Amino acid sequence: MRTGSLESLRARNRRAVVAAVQANPASSRADIARRTGLSTTTVSTLVGELIARDVLCELGPAREGAGGRPAVALGINPQAGAALGIHLGHAATRVVLAGPDGSVRAERSESFDVDHEPARTLERVAAAAADLIADSLVPRDRIFGAGVAVSAPVLGSRALGSPPMLLDWGEVDVSRQLGDALDLPVYLGNDATLGALAEWRLGAGAGRDDLIYVMLSEGVGAGLVLGGRLHDGATGAAGEFGHVRVRAEGHVCRCGSRGCLETIVGARALVAALAHTRGPQCTVELLLQLSEDGDRGARRLLADAGRAVGDALSSICTVLDPAVVVIGGDLVARPSAAGVLAANARDALNHALPAVGNHAIDVVASGLGARSEVLGAALLAAEHADARIADLADAS
Ligand SMILES: [Zn+2]
């Protein structure tokens, strides 16, 4: 074999090792060997090179050592670079600069009418992203790209912005416009699906390969991890949980149907209900603060919302048999609200489940606060950056 092809084989193996660590953080050398099919000797050599080049690092003892010498967990070195995560919610934006392992370096968020102002939204998140990069001192060639979480079905790299999800975004090419503004590759995903990715990799569902993530914000949605893979559905619209009809005579939803779950448990519905007693200036923050302070009305609203979510989950969980349901979004940004929502959803769900299942389903609050979607977006960009991280190893 010629030297050139040997070197390209070595580079390919290095990429496989990096990809295995990105997909399975805290892997040991033996785990990597098993996943890549490379010998443990080859893996050890490649890992040594990647550590020397600041691409991988040793994290400490691995979860389980396979007899003999204790195994060491490996991760992507936080110094290897960074990725942008951007969440375009219906009424707020959030931008983070995160390491390849999802550790947040810097963050900005803003309340904003995202639904109706696409041009200004993209301008403002691009400006926020540029500021974060400039302030971070991370070299420009070590920013791998931007992941963008949008509140709409996503197929491939395109948001399906036609009615009803994002009425005014129909013709907007988010990837191209942000890519031009930031001069970076941009990857698009559905926000609840990316929330599921973050909780599965880093949060309350870490390592649970059958997981449902429920996002309770201005919009309501679900992300699905089934058998260790994110599930988008045939048209990118899997997990539109907020538009499951739960009340035949309910309010008309922004999607055009009547009685959708979102019209009952979305942030807008809860704030409107609170305004009944607290006046028209109510906000989600006020609702969460009242709950922290022990206000009975606020806790009742959140408890009822949790029960409605649990009821709506029962048929989905009967069909999909998940190990865990993680509740996230803006409504779990404070501990009291998160606890009330998760506990009531758990009770209602397990009460409503038929006796055919093998276990009570665990329902827990997000391990990442209200950041799941934006961290998932950063992870999406970091996962696309496999090749670029490995390039760093090749370049040295
Ligand atoms: Zn709807």
Side-chain angles (χ1 to χ4, degrees), residues 359-374:
H359 64 106
I361 294 175
D362 203 8
V363 180
V364 296
S366 155
L368 306 169
R371 276 177 171 167
S372 315
E373 291 78 21
V374 76

PDB file of all heavy atoms in Angstrom, residues 359-374:
ATOM      1  N   HIS A 359     -44.595  -1.301  32.517  1.00  0.00           N
ATOM      2  CA  HIS A 359     -43.998  -0.464  33.559  1.00  0.00           C
ATOM      3  C   HIS A 359     -44.740   0.855  33.669  1.00  0.00           C
ATOM      4  O   HIS A 359     -45.409   1.284  32.741  1.00  0.00           O
ATOM      5  CB  HIS A 359     -42.534  -0.200  33.218  1.00  0.00           C
ATOM      6  CG  HIS A 359     -42.346   0.591  31.951  1.00  0.00           C
ATOM      7  ND1 HIS A 359     -41.981   1.908  31.950  1.00  0.00           N
ATOM      8  CD2 HIS A 359     -42.500   0.249  30.646  1.00  0.00           C
ATOM      9  CE1 HIS A 359     -41.900   2.340  30.694  1.00  0.00           C
ATOM     10  NE2 HIS A 359     -42.205   1.361  29.890  1.00  0.00           N
ATOM     11  N   ALA A 360     -44.613   1.498  34.832  1.00  0.00           N
ATOM     12  CA  ALA A 360     -45.079   2.871  34.982  1.00  0.00           C
ATOM     13  C   ALA A 360     -44.055   3.754  34.262  1.00  0.00           C
ATOM     14  O   ALA A 360     -42.850   3.519  34.368  1.00  0.00           O
ATOM     15  CB  ALA A 360     -45.151   3.249  36.453  1.00  0.00           C
ATOM     16  N   ILE A 361     -44.547   4.711  33.500  1.00  0.00           N
ATOM     17  CA  ILE A 361     -43.617   5.534  32.714  1.00  0.00           C
ATOM     18  C   ILE A 361     -43.130   6.707  33.553  1.00  0.00           C
ATOM     19  O   ILE A 361     -43.908   7.402  34.191  1.00  0.00           O
ATOM     20  CB  ILE A 361     -44.294   6.001  31.412  1.00  0.00           C
ATOM     21  CG1 ILE A 361     -44.562   4.771  30.532  1.00  0.00           C
ATOM     22  CG2 ILE A 361     -43.417   7.008  30.667  1.00  0.00           C
ATOM     23  CD1 ILE A 361     -45.335   5.050  29.284  1.00  0.00           C
ATOM     24  N   ASP A 362     -41.828   6.858  33.547  1.00  0.00           N
ATOM     25  CA  ASP A 362     -41.199   7.923  34.308  1.00  0.00           C
ATOM     26  C   ASP A 362     -41.457   9.254  33.595  1.00  0.00           C
ATOM     27  O   ASP A 362     -41.257   9.356  32.387  1.00  0.00           O
ATOM     28  CB  ASP A 362     -39.685   7.613  34.328  1.00  0.00           C
ATOM     29  CG  ASP A 362     -38.998   8.274  35.490  1.00  0.00           C
ATOM     30  OD1 ASP A 362     -39.712   8.840  36.346  1.00  0.00           O
ATOM     31  OD2 ASP A 362     -37.761   8.215  35.543  1.00  0.00           O
ATOM     32  N   VAL A 363     -41.928  10.246  34.323  1.00  0.00           N
ATOM     33  CA  VAL A 363     -42.098  11.587  33.745  1.00  0.00           C
ATOM     34  C   VAL A 363     -41.275  12.546  34.589  1.00  0.00           C
ATOM     35  O   VAL A 363     -41.487  12.644  35.793  1.00  0.00           O
ATOM     36  CB  VAL A 363     -43.580  12.025  33.750  1.00  0.00           C
ATOM     37  CG1 VAL A 363     -43.725  13.419  33.144  1.00  0.00           C
ATOM     38  CG2 VAL A 363     -44.437  11.024  32.973  1.00  0.00           C
ATOM     39  N   VAL A 364     -40.327  13.211  33.968  1.00  0.00           N
ATOM     40  CA  VAL A 364     -39.407  14.075  34.720  1.00  0.00           C
ATOM     41  C   VAL A 364     -39.309  15.437  34.051  1.00  0.00           C
ATOM     42  O   VAL A 364     -39.575  15.579  32.855  1.00  0.00           O
ATOM     43  CB  VAL A 364     -37.988  13.452  34.802  1.00  0.00           C
ATOM     44  CG1 VAL A 364     -38.017  12.146  35.577  1.00  0.00           C
ATOM     45  CG2 VAL A 364     -37.406  13.233  33.423  1.00  0.00           C
ATOM     46  N   ALA A 365     -38.920  16.435  34.853  1.00  0.00           N
ATOM     47  CA  ALA A 365     -38.708  17.768  34.287  1.00  0.00           C
ATOM     48  C   ALA A 365     -37.353  17.816  33.591  1.00  0.00           C
ATOM     49  O   ALA A 365     -36.439  17.065  33.927  1.00  0.00           O
ATOM     50  CB  ALA A 365     -38.775  18.813  35.393  1.00  0.00           C
ATOM     51  N   SER A 366     -37.240  18.695  32.622  1.00  0.00           N
ATOM     52  CA  SER A 366     -36.007  18.885  31.861  1.00  0.00           C
ATOM     53  C   SER A 366     -34.795  19.022  32.769  1.00  0.00           C
ATOM     54  O   SER A 366     -34.868  19.649  33.826  1.00  0.00           O
ATOM     55  CB  SER A 366     -36.147  20.169  31.035  1.00  0.00           C
ATOM     56  OG  SER A 366     -34.886  20.717  30.741  1.00  0.00           O
ATOM     57  N   GLY A 367     -33.683  18.437  32.358  1.00  0.00           N
ATOM     58  CA  GLY A 367     -32.435  18.627  33.095  1.00  0.00           C
ATOM     59  C   GLY A 367     -31.698  19.876  32.636  1.00  0.00           C
ATOM     60  O   GLY A 367     -30.652  20.223  33.183  1.00  0.00           O
ATOM     61  N   LEU A 368     -32.240  20.571  31.643  1.00  0.00           N
ATOM     62  CA  LEU A 368     -31.521  21.695  31.029  1.00  0.00           C
ATOM     63  C   LEU A 368     -32.312  22.989  31.134  1.00  0.00           C
ATOM     64  O   LEU A 368     -32.056  23.949  30.403  1.00  0.00           O
ATOM     65  CB  LEU A 368     -31.239  21.375  29.551  1.00  0.00           C
ATOM     66  CG  LEU A 368     -30.512  20.050  29.300  1.00  0.00           C
ATOM     67  CD1 LEU A 368     -30.514  19.690  27.821  1.00  0.00           C
ATOM     68  CD2 LEU A 368     -29.077  20.131  29.818  1.00  0.00           C
ATOM     69  N   GLY A 369     -33.315  23.013  32.034  1.00  0.00           N
ATOM     70  CA  GLY A 369     -34.151  24.203  32.174  1.00  0.00           C
ATOM     71  C   GLY A 369     -34.863  24.488  30.869  1.00  0.00           C
ATOM     72  O   GLY A 369     -35.338  23.579  30.197  1.00  0.00           O
ATOM     73  N   ALA A 370     -34.916  25.764  30.491  1.00  0.00           N
ATOM     74  CA  ALA A 370     -35.604  26.134  29.249  1.00  0.00           C
ATOM     75  C   ALA A 370     -34.632  26.153  28.069  1.00  0.00           C
ATOM     76  O   ALA A 370     -34.941  26.685  27.016  1.00  0.00           O
ATOM     77  CB  ALA A 370     -36.266  27.498  29.426  1.00  0.00           C
ATOM     78  N   ARG A 371     -33.451  25.553  28.238  1.00  0.00           N
ATOM     79  CA  ARG A 371     -32.425  25.637  27.200  1.00  0.00           C
ATOM     80  C   ARG A 371     -32.369  24.420  26.277  1.00  0.00           C
ATOM     81  O   ARG A 371     -31.489  24.337  25.426  1.00  0.00           O
ATOM     82  CB  ARG A 371     -31.052  25.707  27.862  1.00  0.00           C
ATOM     83  CG  ARG A 371     -30.596  27.053  28.307  1.00  0.00           C
ATOM     84  CD  ARG A 371     -29.276  26.771  28.954  1.00  0.00           C
ATOM     85  NE  ARG A 371     -28.508  27.920  29.305  1.00  0.00           N
ATOM     86  CZ  ARG A 371     -27.456  27.836  30.108  1.00  0.00           C
ATOM     87  NH1 ARG A 371     -27.105  26.660  30.615  1.00  0.00           N
ATOM     88  NH2 ARG A 371     -26.759  28.903  30.387  1.00  0.00           N
ATOM     89  N   SER A 372     -33.259  23.444  26.464  1.00  0.00           N
ATOM     90  CA  SER A 372     -33.103  22.193  25.710  1.00  0.00           C
ATOM     91  C   SER A 372     -33.044  22.431  24.204  1.00  0.00           C
ATOM     92  O   SER A 372     -32.189  21.864  23.512  1.00  0.00           O
ATOM     93  CB  SER A 372     -34.266  21.240  26.005  1.00  0.00           C
ATOM     94  OG  SER A 372     -34.535  21.190  27.374  1.00  0.00           O
ATOM     95  N   GLU A 373     -33.972  23.263  23.686  1.00  0.00           N
ATOM     96  CA  GLU A 373     -34.058  23.430  22.226  1.00  0.00           C
ATOM     97  C   GLU A 373     -32.788  24.063  21.663  1.00  0.00           C
ATOM     98  O   GLU A 373     -32.239  23.627  20.654  1.00  0.00           O
ATOM     99  CB  GLU A 373     -35.275  24.281  21.847  1.00  0.00           C
ATOM    100  CG  GLU A 373     -36.610  23.604  22.100  1.00  0.00           C
ATOM    101  CD  GLU A 373     -37.025  23.620  23.574  1.00  0.00           C
ATOM    102  OE1 GLU A 373     -36.517  24.480  24.339  1.00  0.00           O
ATOM    103  OE2 GLU A 373     -37.839  22.769  23.963  1.00  0.00           O
ATOM    104  N   VAL A 374     -32.322  25.112  22.358  1.00  0.00           N
ATOM    105  CA  VAL A 374     -31.168  25.831  21.811  1.00  0.00           C
ATOM    106  C   VAL A 374     -29.890  24.987  21.951  1.00  0.00           C
ATOM    107  O   VAL A 374     -29.013  25.011  21.068  1.00  0.00           O
ATOM    108  CB  VAL A 374     -31.038  27.229  22.470  1.00  0.00           C
ATOM    109  CG1 VAL A 374     -30.474  27.148  23.881  1.00  0.00           C
ATOM    110  CG2 VAL A 374     -30.204  28.159  21.614  1.00  0.00           C
TER     111      VAL A 374
END
